[in-house]
Amino acid sequence: MINELNQLKALLESPNRFIILAHKSPDGDAVGSAAAFFHFLSNISCDAQVVLPDLPSDTLLPFMADTKCLYFTENPGDVKTLFEESSVLICLDFNASSRVGEMHSLVDGFKGVKVMIDHHPEPEPFSDIMISDVTNSSTCQLIYECIELMQLTHAIDQHVARSLYLGIMTDTGSFRFPSTTASVHKIVAHLKELGLQHAKIHENIYDNSTEGRLKFMGNAFLNRMTVLPEFKTAVMAIPKSDIYKFELKTGDTEGLVNYLLSIEGIKFAAILIDREEERKWSFRSKGNFDVNIFARTHFEGGGHANAAGGRSSKSLDETLNDFKTIIENYKSQLTQLK
């Protein structure tokens, strides 16, 4: 990785125009890494602009407030012009151009230097400079380590610290997941020394539910959840009617799958949500049941060993029935988990 970091540092020291891009439907790590890298580049006097394929959730949107962010869904013409006029594309928290949705052709056709910084397994070779570490808890952790190795930690101010903490906190499940190593806590300790107010960030993300969201969750647990004890699995299927009935906004279903995994004896949790254009899966697991492989094999998805996503173009009922059929093939593996 040292050679790649030397190449990145050379780009930072040259008069380049940078685009910072994260994946479609940006989560906390995507938003945090994009905002953190923007503030970092600004602090070392680089010309930078953040682009996101679409809007993040209302709870994450404030983190983008001072990043001059362009959203492709709202300003496709301005984004295309920016891609034509910029010389370096920083791709954060995704390892395949397909993860940016309709923007993939802009990424693939970008004529400047493409840099990928990401922690997801099995990266595709779409970038010129690939900085990948699948052992990291988050892309935000990897960004911190890159800044440290480039000896540029003086450029980490409270804006950078706040954004890095957002990504690390959300991608470690508030420091619950096995990816929370000693290095993660050391990074957070340094961010605290820089003045990070971590409690406020946690409050903004996790203690900010609407009445509709809480009623939706109650209905989901009562009427949409199925526990399959013979497979140590819990699955939930959310129809579009629930989205409309409870007036859910982007991000209101975030983290719901983790509640299923908290059920005693459950090792595999899955939530299926009926979106307008497709059905979206969220998978979580405990132990060595690899949901990345499961998602890639059966539902055109992927992610990490214990957290992944997928999709289906079939109806909600058809997709759920497919899942219940497929899970039969994993009964032996799942029942052996302790």
Side-chain angles (χ1 to χ4, degrees), residues 91 94-97 107-108 114-116 123-128 130:
C91 302
F94 65 94
N95 61 4
S97 60
V107 174
D108 294 338
K114 286 180 278 192
V115 181
M116 186 199 80
E124 296 181 4
F126 72 94
S127 61
D128 303 295
M130 181 186 296

Short mmCIF file of all heavy atoms in Angstrom, two decimals, residues 91 94-97 107-108 114-116 123-128 130:
data_model
loop_
_atom_site.label_atom_id
_atom_site.label_comp_id
_atom_site.label_asym_id
_atom_site.label_seq_id
_atom_site.Cartn_x
_atom_site.Cartn_y
_atom_site.Cartn_z
N CYS A 91 -12.63 7.66 -5.28
CA CYS A 91 -13.78 6.77 -5.12
C CYS A 91 -13.73 6.15 -3.72
O CYS A 91 -12.81 5.39 -3.41
CB CYS A 91 -13.76 5.67 -6.18
SG CYS A 91 -13.76 6.30 -7.87
N PHE A 94 -16.63 2.13 -2.08
CA PHE A 94 -17.17 1.19 -3.06
C PHE A 94 -16.01 0.62 -3.87
O PHE A 94 -15.00 1.28 -4.09
CB PHE A 94 -18.24 1.81 -3.95
CG PHE A 94 -17.76 2.90 -4.87
CD1 PHE A 94 -17.38 2.62 -6.18
CD2 PHE A 94 -17.72 4.23 -4.45
CE1 PHE A 94 -16.97 3.63 -7.05
CE2 PHE A 94 -17.32 5.24 -5.32
CZ PHE A 94 -16.93 4.94 -6.61
N ASN A 95 -16.17 -0.62 -4.32
CA ASN A 95 -15.07 -1.31 -5.01
C ASN A 95 -15.46 -1.79 -6.41
O ASN A 95 -14.77 -2.62 -7.00
CB ASN A 95 -14.58 -2.50 -4.18
CG ASN A 95 -15.66 -3.54 -3.95
OD1 ASN A 95 -16.77 -3.44 -4.46
ND2 ASN A 95 -15.33 -4.56 -3.17
N ALA A 96 -16.57 -1.25 -6.93
CA ALA A 96 -17.01 -1.56 -8.29
C ALA A 96 -17.83 -0.38 -8.78
O ALA A 96 -18.65 0.17 -8.04
CB ALA A 96 -17.84 -2.85 -8.32
N SER A 97 -17.63 0.01 -10.03
CA SER A 97 -18.32 1.20 -10.55
C SER A 97 -19.83 1.02 -10.58
O SER A 97 -20.58 2.01 -10.57
CB SER A 97 -17.80 1.54 -11.95
OG SER A 97 -18.02 0.48 -12.87
N VAL A 107 -17.95 7.25 -14.19
CA VAL A 107 -16.77 6.70 -13.53
C VAL A 107 -15.90 5.93 -14.54
O VAL A 107 -14.69 6.14 -14.63
CB VAL A 107 -17.17 5.78 -12.36
CG1 VAL A 107 -15.94 5.09 -11.77
CG2 VAL A 107 -17.88 6.59 -11.28
N ASP A 108 -16.53 5.06 -15.30
CA ASP A 108 -15.78 4.26 -16.27
C ASP A 108 -15.13 5.12 -17.35
O ASP A 108 -14.04 4.82 -17.83
CB ASP A 108 -16.70 3.22 -16.93
CG ASP A 108 -17.20 2.17 -15.95
OD1 ASP A 108 -16.53 1.97 -14.91
OD2 ASP A 108 -18.25 1.55 -16.20
N LYS A 114 -8.05 7.81 -11.45
CA LYS A 114 -9.06 7.29 -10.53
C LYS A 114 -8.37 6.61 -9.34
O LYS A 114 -7.51 5.75 -9.53
CB LYS A 114 -9.98 6.29 -11.24
CG LYS A 114 -10.97 6.94 -12.18
CD LYS A 114 -11.88 5.93 -12.85
CE LYS A 114 -11.22 5.28 -14.04
NZ LYS A 114 -12.16 4.50 -14.89
N VAL A 115 -8.76 7.03 -8.14
CA VAL A 115 -8.21 6.47 -6.91
C VAL A 115 -9.34 5.82 -6.13
O VAL A 115 -10.36 6.44 -5.87
CB VAL A 115 -7.55 7.56 -6.04
CG1 VAL A 115 -6.95 6.96 -4.77
CG2 VAL A 115 -6.49 8.32 -6.83
N MET A 116 -9.17 4.56 -5.76
CA MET A 116 -10.16 3.86 -4.94
C MET A 116 -9.61 3.67 -3.54
O MET A 116 -8.50 3.17 -3.36
CB MET A 116 -10.49 2.49 -5.54
CG MET A 116 -11.62 1.75 -4.82
SD MET A 116 -11.63 -0.03 -5.15
CE MET A 116 -10.36 -0.59 -4.03
N PRO A 123 -12.36 -6.41 -4.64
CA PRO A 123 -12.47 -5.18 -5.44
C PRO A 123 -12.26 -5.45 -6.92
O PRO A 123 -11.47 -6.31 -7.30
CB PRO A 123 -11.35 -4.30 -4.88
CG PRO A 123 -10.36 -5.27 -4.31
CD PRO A 123 -11.18 -6.41 -3.77
N GLU A 124 -12.99 -4.71 -7.75
CA GLU A 124 -12.82 -4.81 -9.20
C GLU A 124 -11.78 -3.81 -9.67
O GLU A 124 -11.65 -2.72 -9.10
CB GLU A 124 -14.16 -4.57 -9.90
CG GLU A 124 -15.21 -5.62 -9.56
CD GLU A 124 -16.53 -5.38 -10.27
OE1 GLU A 124 -16.61 -4.44 -11.11
OE2 GLU A 124 -17.49 -6.14 -10.02
N PRO A 125 -11.03 -4.13 -10.71
CA PRO A 125 -9.92 -3.27 -11.16
C PRO A 125 -10.38 -2.10 -12.04
O PRO A 125 -10.01 -2.00 -13.20
CB PRO A 125 -9.04 -4.25 -11.94
CG PRO A 125 -10.01 -5.24 -12.51
CD PRO A 125 -11.09 -5.41 -11.47
N PHE A 126 -11.19 -1.20 -11.46
CA PHE A 126 -11.69 -0.08 -12.25
C PHE A 126 -10.89 1.20 -12.02
O PHE A 126 -11.08 2.18 -12.72
CB PHE A 126 -13.17 0.18 -11.93
CG PHE A 126 -13.41 0.80 -10.59
CD1 PHE A 126 -13.52 2.18 -10.46
CD2 PHE A 126 -13.52 0.02 -9.45
CE1 PHE A 126 -13.73 2.77 -9.22
CE2 PHE A 126 -13.73 0.59 -8.20
CZ PHE A 126 -13.84 1.97 -8.09
N SER A 127 -9.98 1.19 -11.03
CA SER A 127 -9.24 2.40 -10.68
C SER A 127 -7.77 2.29 -11.08
O SER A 127 -7.25 1.20 -11.31
CB SER A 127 -9.34 2.66 -9.17
OG SER A 127 -8.78 1.58 -8.44
N ASP A 128 -7.11 3.44 -11.17
CA ASP A 128 -5.68 3.48 -11.47
C ASP A 128 -4.83 3.25 -10.23
O ASP A 128 -3.77 2.65 -10.30
CB ASP A 128 -5.31 4.84 -12.09
CG ASP A 128 -6.12 5.15 -13.34
OD1 ASP A 128 -5.96 4.41 -14.33
OD2 ASP A 128 -6.93 6.09 -13.32
N MET A 130 -5.33 1.71 -6.41
CA MET A 130 -6.24 0.96 -5.55
C MET A 130 -5.67 0.86 -4.15
O MET A 130 -4.62 0.25 -3.94
CB MET A 130 -6.49 -0.44 -6.11
CG MET A 130 -7.46 -1.28 -5.28
SD MET A 130 -7.60 -3.00 -5.86
CE MET A 130 -8.31 -2.75 -7.49
#
